[in-house]
Amino acid sequence: MKQNLRTFDWKFRTFKGKWSNFFNMNGITQISKEDFVGLLQRQKDLVPDEPALSPEEESIAVKCYQAEKMESYFINDEAKGVRTYDAVNKFFSDKVKFNYHYKSALVADKNEADLRVVRIVPWDDNKDIRLDSRNGICLTKILANAFTQGYFTLSDSGHMIVSVIPSDDSETNLILNKYKNRKIHMNREYSPNKKYLQYHREHVFKQ
């Protein structure tokens, strides 16, 4: 995250390598409109697959944060006639990336443009846990696709289990073999729910 800001072409001041000197000690005191628009565009560039939300969807995303604070994780497919999928995914992706410090849980990749958030229990399989960030893992794009397709799963302790059924993609197979048995980064507060991991092993993982 910091690296992406280091390479940003700031207009209101020249960045010389130290954030403490770049912004005043009490935080940002000024920013140009050009920098503000540029930062918004940088965020969009980092998540090119993420659709723009309508005002109604933005409202749903805000309510997702409020519900999650109360540990209420259910959300239906629609809210007042508006599909919730994109809004929930925006909330969910932001939350899980934050939990994993904007790094892949397996390879500690700091390239935010290559990071994807995956659901352990698929969206369609359980409406009651759609807002639970412990149903999410932050991975690189190629590992995210492999996890979603069931080419690897995780043990309760977070160790990678690779399917005996290979992917049709040779690069995916090489990466899976490279990280086989590796343990994902886990912490007590945000580690994947073991019940969700068990579901993935039993219903998504290719055996």
Side-chain angles (χ1 to χ4, degrees):
M1 189 175 185
K2 290 181 180 178
Q3 187 60 35
N4 284 314
L5 289 179
R6 285 179 183 275
T7 59
F8 182 73
D9 184 20
W10 295 96
K11 303 300 182 185
F12 88 101
R13 187 174 297 172
T14 301
F15 178 67
K16 297 181 179 180
K18 290 190 68 175
W19 293 112
S20 58
N21 296 333
F22 187 63
F23 297 122
N24 286 356
M25 293 301 292
N26 293 327
I28 299 175
T29 57
Q30 67 171 343
I31 187 171
S32 68
K33 179 180 179 180
E34 190 174 1
D35 282 334
F36 179 70
V37 173
L39 287 171
L40 292 178
Q41 186 59 50
R42 173 62 65 94
Q43 176 63 20
K44 289 181 180 179
D45 292 341
L46 289 174
V47 284
D49 299 331
E50 195 172 89
L53 300 183
S54 67
E56 293 79 12
E57 289 172 321
E58 290 282 5
S59 177
I60 292 172
V62 171
K63 291 178 181 178
C64 288
Y65 282 98
Q66 296 169 341
E68 192 256 353
K69 290 291 185 183
M70 297 185 291
E71 298 185 358
S72 176
Y73 304 128
F74 170 86
I75 192 165
N76 221 327
D77 292 337
E78 291 188 359
K80 297 182 178 180
V82 179
R83 286 186 57 80
T84 59
Y85 183 82
D86 288 342
V88 173
N89 272 356
K90 175 67 170 65
F91 151 78
F92 190 75
S93 178
D94 288 349
K95 179 69 175 180
V96 175
K97 285 181 180 179
F98 178 81
N99 290 349
Y100 282 88
H101 305 290
Y102 298 90
K103 298 177 184 178
S104 165
L106 273 169
V107 301
D109 191 337
K110 297 182 181 179
N111 179 11
E112 290 179 57
D114 193 42
L115 294 181
R116 298 292 184 273
V117 169
V118 295
R119 291 180 181 275
I120 302 169
V121 177
W123 168 270
D124 288 329
D125 291 13
N126 192 337
K127 295 180 180 180
D128 292 329
I129 61 171
R130 285 176 171 176
L131 303 183
D132 188 357
S133 61
R134 295 186 67 186
N135 186 42
I137 305 175
C138 192
L139 298 168
T140 58
K141 184 177 181 179
I142 195 165
L143 285 172
N145 289 337
F147 185 80
T148 301
Q149 294 168 15
Y151 289 112
F152 81 92
T153 191
L154 298 168
S155 68
D156 284 351
S157 61
H159 286 88
M160 186 176 183
I161 304 169
V162 177
S163 174
V164 295
I165 301 172
S167 167
D168 293 332
D169 180 64
S170 59
E171 183 181 1
T172 296
N173 293 327
L174 286 173
I175 291 178
L176 290 177
N177 287 326
K178 179 180 179 180
Y179 296 110
K180 186 176 181 179
N181 297 322
R182 177 170 291 197
K183 188 177 186 296
I184 66 168
H185 169 76
M186 302 173 74
N187 61 55
R188 183 174 299 178
E189 187 175 359
Y190 300 123
S191 60
N193 186 304
K194 292 181 179 179
K195 291 182 179 179
Y196 304 162
L197 292 176
Q198 180 180 355
Y199 185 94
H200 189 273
R201 291 194 298 268
E202 294 177 354
H203 298 280
V204 181
F205 183 55
K206 296 180 183 293
Q207 303 185 63

